[in-house]
């Protein structure tokens, strides 16, 4: 089984890069299943029904969320009708789920979405939720498990690896929009602290630089906006899985000027 993951899709520029490249990448690399994080996909905050359906039509099979999941109120019915997740560790009674099981290449794949704690909305304990959910999935005979860990703190993400190394197929972090350079395979678990955004690359985390700079200089907040014109990037991780373990993985950074950079994950047994 070969799966791929795309981190935070930020606004129209991110959606444009998905539309331009994803179907070709699926063909070229024989990708069976694509997961992508939607939480910034519409104007940088949440996702609309229109954009969700567009992204699913562009070659994405399942979408995960994060702290901006609820920014567009139309999300609630979508969490029931479309292959979309919200963080699994929201308290009981919140609409939707953070764990879904899919049939992929004749096998079962579980996709799990967990949100961290530092700087995030109130949620149940991320580590207990992840540990207990993974144990339940494995008791049901599901060994291919991918986790999108949506968290601010790199220490939380690294801690999740230490907790679940060898137990899940992959853990890739989202939320910071800044890609890290630590793609590795530990005991059969692919791990990357943060995959980085797909969208504008020449500003501040995919947003026009004016409001963030004003805030840094004066302390006065404003509304972040996705630029109408910018230089764009698509960041995607591709993982080959066998018997629940990742045996090979690489990340592609695709620039709108035609440049492509590949980083292969190193293996730590």
């Amino acid at each position: 089984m070969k799966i791929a993951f795309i981190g935070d899709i930020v606004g129209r520029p991110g959606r444009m890069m998905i539309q331009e490249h994803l179907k070709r990448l699926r063909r070229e690399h024989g990708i069976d299943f694509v997961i992508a994080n939607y939480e910034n996909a519409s104007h940088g905050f949440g996702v609309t029904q229109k954009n969700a359906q567009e992204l699913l039509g562009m070659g994405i099979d399942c979408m995960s969320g994060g702290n901006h999941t609820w920014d567009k109120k139309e999300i609630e019915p979508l969490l029931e009708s479309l292959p979309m997740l919200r963080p699994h560790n929201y308290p009981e009674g919140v609409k939707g789920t953070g764990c879904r099981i899919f049939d992929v290449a004749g096998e079962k794949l579980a996709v799990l979405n967990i949100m961290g704690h530092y700087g995030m909305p109130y949620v149940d304990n991320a580590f207990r939720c992840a540990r207990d959910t993974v144990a339940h999935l494995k008791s049901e005979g599901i060994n291919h498990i991918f986790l999108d860990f949506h968290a601010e703190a790199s220490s939380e993400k690294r801690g999740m690896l230490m907790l679940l190394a060898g137990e899940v197929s992959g853990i890739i972090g989202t939320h910071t929009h800044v890609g890290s350079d630590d793609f590795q395979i530990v005991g059969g678990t692919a791990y990357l602290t943060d995959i980085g955004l797909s969208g504008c690359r020449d500003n501040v985390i995919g947003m026009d630089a004016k409001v963030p700079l004003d805030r840094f200089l004066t302390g006065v907040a404003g509304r972040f906006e996705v630029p109408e014109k910018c230089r764009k990037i698509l960041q995607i991780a591709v993982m080959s899985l066998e018997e629940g373990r990742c045996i090979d993985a690489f990340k592609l950074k695709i620039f709108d000027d035609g440049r492509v950079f590949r980083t292969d994950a190193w293996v730590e047994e």
Side-chain angles (χ1 to χ4, degrees), residues 44-199:
F45 298 93
V47 65
T48 64
Q49 178 177 350
K50 177 178 179 291
N51 291 157
Q53 291 173 330
E54 285 177 349
L55 288 168
L56 291 169
M58 292 175 186
I60 294 170
D61 298 292
C62 172
M63 295 197 291
S64 51
N67 57 300
H68 288 296
T69 287
W70 312 106
D71 286 5
K72 303 286 190 291
K73 291 306 179 184
E74 60 199 273
I75 189 70
E76 292 189 2
L78 303 184
L79 292 171
E80 305 293 340
S81 62
L82 297 177
M84 296 177 65
L85 307 176
R86 47 81 171 164
H88 202 46
N89 53 326
Y90 269 103
E92 186 176 351
V94 175
K95 289 185 181 296
T97 181
C99 183
R100 288 183 184 267
I101 300 166
F102 300 89
D103 292 311
V104 181
E107 301 181 81
K108 299 291 186 183
L109 169 69
V111 181
L112 178 59
N113 187 191
I114 298 285
M115 187 161 66
H117 297 287
Y118 178 79
M120 293 296 205
Y122 176 81
V123 285
D124 293 340
N125 187 283
F127 299 90
R128 290 179 181 272
C129 180
R131 180 197 62 189
D132 295 347
T133 303
V134 168
H136 175 73
L137 290 168
K138 294 181 79 86
S139 74
E140 296 290 318
I142 299 169
N143 295 314
H144 295 294
I145 304 170
F146 175 81
L147 168 58
D148 170 2
F149 190 23
H150 196 80
E152 178 76 28
S154 57
S155 57
E156 290 184 354
K157 296 175 182 179
R158 186 72 187 179
M160 190 65 78
L161 171 65
M162 296 294 98
L163 179 68
L164 296 178
E167 298 296 318
V168 299
S169 308
I171 303 168
I172 296 184
T174 54
H175 179 66
T176 72
H177 294 199
V178 179
S180 58
D181 187 26
D182 60 343
F183 204 9
Q184 58 197 276
I185 301 172
V186 182
T189 299
Y191 172 78
L192 182 59
T193 297
D194 203 293
I195 191 169
L197 66 83
S198 287

